[in-house]
Amino acid sequence: QVQLQESGPGLVKPSETLSVTCTVSGGSLTTNFLSWAWIRQSPTKGLEWIGYIRYSGSTSYSPSLKSRTSISRDTSKNQFTLQLRTVSPEDTAVYYCARSNGLDLNWGRGIQVTVSS
């Protein structure tokens, strides 16, 4: 059974870069046809898809966040990382990582990230 666990700082200052890592167990980032996604949820914006990295290593991002977002992976550690640059208080949310097989999602528990000075 695949398990995903988010980690990272819970507090980020405005204009800095938010970095959150997802550690995967019970599955491999390079398994064919799987995608590994970042999604966030906030009271003001609801559920928002950020982007994903495919088993091949290619990436796709939400158009609204694309200019500030990077998703990378470390296959030796079975981890993938979200970086969101130049954050503002509007980026305050619970950040989730998830695995997609095209039909459904397996979610991590999420991590609260607050943007505040």
Side-chain angles (χ1 to χ4, degrees):
Q1 180 73 13
V2 65
Q3 293 186 328
L4 299 94
Q5 179 66 58
E6 302 89 348
S7 61
L11 181 64
V12 183
K13 293 182 179 180
S15 81
E16 295 187 343
T17 296
L18 178 158
S19 183
V20 187
T21 293
C22 183
T23 301
V24 178
S25 58
S28 171
L29 296 180
T30 58
T31 298
N32 282 348
F33 312 122
L34 295 181
S35 297
W36 305 86
W38 285 102
I39 302 160
R40 67 182 182 181
Q41 186 171 28
S42 67
T44 55
K45 295 185 178 181
L47 208 59
E48 182 178 23
W49 174 72
I50 301 170
Y52 59 82
I53 185 165
R54 299 180 185 89
Y55 66 98
S56 61
S58 63
T59 54
S60 181
Y61 303 116
S62 166
S64 64
L65 297 170
K66 184 176 182 178
S67 64
R68 301 193 289 130
T69 306
S70 297
I71 298 175
S72 60
R73 67 181 184 179
D74 185 338
T75 56
S76 67
K77 296 181 180 179
N78 222 29
Q79 295 177 332
F80 62 108
T81 298
L82 166 70
Q83 288 192 316
L84 184 64
R85 296 177 290 275
T86 321
V87 297
S88 72
E90 292 187 348
D91 294 309
T92 295
V94 178
Y95 285 76
Y96 297 93
C97 59
R99 183 192 75 170
S100 172
N101 61 8
L103 296 176
D104 53 26
L105 293 173
N106 293 95
W107 296 73
R109 291 189 175 183
I111 182 171
Q112 172 70 47
V113 180
T114 300
V115 180
S116 175
S117 56

